[in-house]
Amino acid sequence: MRIKLDDLQAFVAVAEFGSFARASDELNITQSALSRRLKKLEEALGARLLDRTTRQVSVSVVGAEFLPEAMRIVAEVNRSLSDITDLIKVRTGTVSIASNMTISDTLLPEILSAFKKRHPNVRVRVSESSSPAALERVLHRESELAVAQFGEGHPELEFEPLFEDRFVLISHRDHPIAGRKGLTWKDLSDHNFIRMRAGSGTTNLLQRSLGEDIRHLSGDIEVGHFNALLAMVGKNLGLSAIPTLVQLKRVDLDIVATPVSDPVISRQLGIVTYRGRSLSPAGEALRQTCREVLRETVPSILGKISARRG
């Protein structure tokens, strides 16, 4: 037995209006088309649903029993279609995003603030960890997208680079090296360098970029997180090197950022998605917001930080 939604809608409309003419106007079909739909429905059910006379139409005994179920089915389908429309137009839904800790602490609030202004009823699930962990979440389809450092990446992941985050030397304002012009990595040999723990993304990047010159970065303090590193430098216990964006974590500290080169070291931050897999409408809207914030807002934010540090 095959019953079509159009046939159910025809029955519900006639039962509601008590008139073929009004029901056909409501459904925007001819009365003959309406009659054919009702006939098919009655044949499929094997029972008369409407009692017709030359003057009026009324719901039969069987029709009265069936009407609540028909109305429920039509209402649920209409509600589902409305929900799908809302999802497509990004009026509702849920989107999941992963990011590294630096992004979570600094730029993600900017991204989500802009996103929620446009799409206030969309739910957002955030996962924050290291960049490799953020990529794993996308790889395992636990998050639709990530904002992170791509590193060596993965063949199943797509990376859209949006921001070059240059490493700078950070020191307390009273440190003798603060603000020195033309600073190179070799100039750090005689100073206590506070390092991130071995195996961290920052340490690995410095080792790959500096090669044998990594020996110039020596010291007696090693930490596991940027917040701890910034606090140590803020107490003038040594100096260190961090991506520029990390400065946003602790703008309250009396720290000076100084450019360092030979070589210039930077990391690329951007949007990571699963290759060949389309995002949900909400995910696509969030990706566009990430692009706008990373491309347009970041330079302004970092300019203000540089001015504050100067």
Side-chain angles (χ1 to χ4, degrees):
M1 177 175 62
R2 296 185 61 185
I3 296 177
K4 294 183 177 180
L5 178 64
D6 287 347
D7 303 338
L8 290 174
Q9 289 174 326
F11 170 56
V12 170
V14 173
E16 179 181 355
F17 293 108
S19 164
F20 273 73
R22 292 184 61 189
S24 61
D25 287 342
E26 176 70 17
L27 298 175
N28 197 28
I29 59 175
T30 64
Q31 290 190 43
S32 59
L34 180 63
S35 295
R36 286 194 296 271
R37 291 183 183 182
L38 289 167
K39 183 179 179 180
K40 286 192 299 179
L41 180 60
E42 290 178 332
E43 289 177 349
L45 293 173
R48 182 177 291 277
L49 300 176
L50 298 169
D51 293 324
R52 306 168 181 85
T53 69
T54 56
R55 293 187 176 183
Q56 64 180 11
V57 59
S58 59
V59 179
S60 69
V61 173
V62 174
E65 291 286 335
F66 180 61
L67 182 58
E69 185 65 16
M71 294 176 67
R72 182 190 64 80
I73 294 171
V74 171
E76 286 187 357
V77 171
N78 288 336
R79 185 164 53 250
S80 295
L81 292 174
S82 178
D83 290 345
I84 290 297
T85 300
D86 283 343
L87 288 174
I88 292 172
K89 294 183 177 180
V90 201
R91 288 197 289 256
T92 61
T94 301
V95 60
S96 56
I97 182 172
S99 71
N100 65 22
M101 293 301 296
T102 301
I103 295 292
S104 296
D105 292 347
T106 57
L107 294 180
L108 193 57
E110 294 280 341
I111 292 170
L112 294 187
S113 176
F115 180 77
K116 293 296 286 183
K117 286 179 182 177
R118 300 171 185 173
H119 311 289
N121 295 321
V122 174
R123 296 181 297 276
V124 182
R125 293 200 299 264
V126 178
S127 298
E128 56 280 329
S129 187
S130 63
S131 283
L135 268 57
E136 284 293 317
R137 289 193 63 85
V138 176
L139 190 62
H140 295 145
R141 304 192 181 189
E142 296 168 342
S143 295
E144 279 197 74
L145 67 161
V147 181
Q149 179 183 349
F150 198 52
E152 297 179 0
H154 191 282
E156 293 185 55
L157 297 179
E158 191 84 35
F159 180 61
E160 181 182 356
L162 293 177
F163 175 58
E164 196 79 19
D165 197 10
R166 178 177 174 173
F167 273 70
V168 292
L169 180 77
I170 57 168
S171 60
H172 190 274
R173 187 176 299 276
D174 295 335
H175 195 283
I177 211 170
R180 183 186 298 182
K181 304 294 184 182
L183 195 66
T184 70
W185 297 97
K186 294 180 181 178
D187 295 327
L188 309 183
S189 297
D190 298 329
H191 302 279
N192 189 40
F193 190 89
I194 303 174
R195 303 184 63 164
M196 295 288 287
R197 65 168 175 259
S200 69
T202 298
T203 298
N204 291 341
L205 178 57
L206 289 175
Q207 288 175 335
R208 289 196 305 270
S209 302
L210 292 176
E212 292 184 359
D213 284 344
I214 193 71
R215 68 182 187 276
H216 298 297
L217 310 183
S218 61
D220 55 14
I221 299 177
E222 181 178 292
V223 299
H225 299 282
F226 280 129
N227 283 331
L229 185 149
L230 291 166
M232 302 294 178
V233 174
K235 287 294 184 180
N236 207 8
L237 296 174
L239 47 75
S240 192
I242 60 170
T244 302
L245 192 59
V246 175
Q247 296 174 78
L248 290 171
K249 286 175 170 281
R250 292 295 304 272
V251 297
D252 58 307
L253 297 174
D254 204 13
I255 290 175
V256 173
T258 305
V260 57
S261 58
D262 194 24
V264 171
I265 301 175
S266 63
R267 62 175 182 173
Q268 278 193 326
L269 298 175
I271 302 170
V272 181
T273 54
Y274 198 92
R275 187 181 298 275
R277 184 188 184 198
S278 60
L279 298 178
S280 68
E284 187 59 51
L286 182 55
R287 172 162 62 179
Q288 183 58 35
T289 304
C290 289
R291 288 171 178 154
E292 293 173 5
V293 171
L294 291 177
R295 285 175 174 164
E296 299 172 11
T297 307
V298 167
S300 173
I301 292 175
L302 294 182
K304 292 177 181 177
I305 293 297
S306 297
R308 190 183 296 119
R309 297 296 191 201

